Each structure stands twice: as structure tokens, then as C-alpha cells.
Amino acid sequence: MCIRDRIPVVALTTLGGASTEMSGSGRSKKLRIVREYLATEGKDLDVVVFSDATDVLANAGTLREVEKHLEGDQLLVAGDPSCWIGAVCDEVEAANLRRALPGHCENRGLFANSGQYVGSRTAVLRFVDWAVGQLNAKDVTRELATLLSPSRVAEMKAGRFEPSDQCLLHAYWASYPDRVRIDSDAAVFASFKRFYVLEADDRGVRTPGRQADAQHPRAGTAEPTGTNSTAGRSPGPAPEDDF
């Protein structure tokens, strides 16, 4: 009989000792929650798998199988055919990403889906530290200005737009292309949008409303995830989400 060692999962539901939720602009809280966890209970983890939403699928493999797809201290991130930064990207923002990441974006390369990623503790902590620093700046930083369109910058300055974790992941990837790799072959992760793309989310990526090209996970069986989870060599929690 073959016994498969499942990836240990722990739900993160608190920040600073208080119970918390993420909705609307509060979605960026998950970055602080993961950062806090990695600095405390998760300080001894070697590898971290983060999953937070119902719009992604995770292949049901073992941690060892997942680790085979890692390369050094790169973050391996789920791919998404639509460009989303807490709102649908406008044409300028999608073009900015393609310009910053020409090697990846040629031949319709997928955008990032921050709902799931995996990497060494170093890789994950490097991203969340950077992202929290961007949030703490409370301003349009140089990295965000490179990604966001002028109209979005104006919205942010007027307090009508807060960068989501996905917005910050795209800005991080555009700023440090060698630190992020998209799981384009769905070896570990896949998004529901890989199978069908909604017209409202399809900004300059595919024909609106058309069924996405068949790109199915090639390893293991994909299972829907509805809870937030962080996992590693020892159990590690992950934020609880309500969207």
C-alpha cells in the first residue's frame, strides 16, 4: 500500500493576538498575518505553501512532490489568465506588466494569482516583508507607480484604492523578475479561471467570455480549497478569508 504524506495545514485567523477577517480593502491584511506567523510559530519552517481562496485549485501531492518544482529561493506562484490587482487591470496596467516581464509575457504568459504560492521560508518572508513595507509607506511608491496606470495612481492618492496582496505581488514580480516564477504548466497550482474566464476579468488577455485554453494540472488530482492555509515541514497556519 502506498501512503501519501499530506502537507500539514494550519489556518491563520489572528493578527496581533486578535481575531481578524479580510474583506474589501482589508485583503492586504493577509500579508501581515503571514509575516507575523513566519516570525513566530513558523520560524522553523523550511518550505511554506500558502493558499487563501476559493478561486484556486491545489494539486493533492505531498510536500516532497511540491518541492521538486522549486528553484532556489524563488517564489512559485499560481497563474491566472486575467490581470487582477484588487480590481481588473486597465489596458495600461496590463501593458506595464508585459513591458516589465517581456520574457514571461510573450505568447500570452499568465499573470500572477496571489491566492496560492509556495517557496522556501526565505522566499516567502522576503516577499511579505517587501509588501508590508509598501503598505506602511502609505503612498504611491516607485514600484507601484511603475505598475499602476495614472488613473489608478490618482484613485490611490484620493484614498479610493488600496493595493491588494495581488497588486503588491505583481509590483514585486515586476521589480524583481528573478524572484518570482509563475506555475504556467499547473504543475502545483491551477486557477478556476484557467478553465473559464469571465468577461469582466478578461482585460486584453483572451476573447471575453470564451472558454480558456485547456491547461489542466499534470500532477496529482486537483481539489478545490476554500480555506486559507500555510504549510511547511511543520504545521503552519494561514489567514481566514471571507471573499
Side-chain angles (χ1 to χ4, degrees):
M1 181 176 67
C2 178
I3 298 176
R4 292 169 66 84
D5 225 359
R6 296 284 181 170
I7 299 174
V9 175
V10 179
L12 295 172
T13 60
T14 62
L15 179 61
S19 191
T20 188
E21 293 182 351
M22 282 159 290
S23 61
S25 63
R27 292 178 184 180
S28 59
K29 258 192 237 175
K30 69 187 74 169
L31 295 162
R32 300 184 188 278
I33 293 173
V34 172
R35 183 173 180 249
E36 180 180 88
Y37 172 71
L38 291 179
T40 54
E41 296 100 311
K43 65 180 182 297
D44 295 325
L45 293 177
D46 295 323
V47 175
V48 177
V49 180
F50 175 84
S51 180
D52 80 337
T54 57
D55 64 345
V56 287
L57 297 164
N59 275 326
T62 65
L63 183 59
R64 181 169 296 178
E65 289 169 336
V66 170
E67 286 180 314
K68 291 177 183 177
H69 300 283
L70 299 182
E71 295 181 6
D73 284 327
Q74 276 190 327
L75 207 58
L76 181 62
V77 180
D80 197 324
S82 61
C83 183
W84 177 264
I85 55 172
V88 180
C89 297
D90 61 28
E91 301 291 352
V92 173
E93 289 159 342
N96 285 344
L97 279 168
R98 291 192 181 101
R99 184 165 48 250
L101 303 158
H104 172 81
C105 289
E106 62 189 14
N107 300 322
R108 296 191 172 199
L110 296 169
F111 295 101
N113 185 325
S114 62
Q116 291 199 131
Y117 53 80
V118 57
S120 65
R121 179 180 178 277
T122 297
V124 174
L125 194 56
R126 186 165 59 182
F127 163 57
V128 295
D129 275 344
W130 180 91
V132 169
Q134 296 285 306
L135 291 171
N136 288 344
K138 299 185 182 303
D139 198 1
V140 182
T141 63
R142 175 180 57 81
E143 293 88 346
L144 284 171
T146 300
L147 166 65
L148 301 177
S149 64
S151 60
R152 194 85 69 189
V153 168
E155 286 181 27
M156 188 173 168
K157 287 183 175 179
R160 296 193 300 271
F161 176 78
E162 179 184 82
S164 67
D165 60 315
Q166 190 143 308
C167 177
L168 290 163
L169 177 57
H170 276 123
Y172 179 72
W173 181 24
S175 300
Y176 305 100
D178 60 325
R179 295 186 185 180
V180 175
R181 185 163 51 92
I182 303 301
D183 186 19
S184 298
D185 295 328
V188 179
F189 305 124
S191 163
F192 283 150
K193 291 177 184 175
R194 296 289 289 276
F195 305 102
Y196 196 83
V197 181
L198 299 179
E199 182 173 358
D201 287 349
D202 187 38
R203 191 57 63 102
V205 183
R206 298 182 188 275
T207 302
R210 179 171 77 78
Q211 186 171 343
D213 296 337
Q215 292 175 312
H216 300 287
R218 67 184 183 197
T221 302
E223 295 179 346
T225 68
T227 57
N228 306 330
S229 57
T230 314
R233 293 195 181 283
S234 59
E240 197 162 295
D241 231 352
D242 61 353
F243 60 94

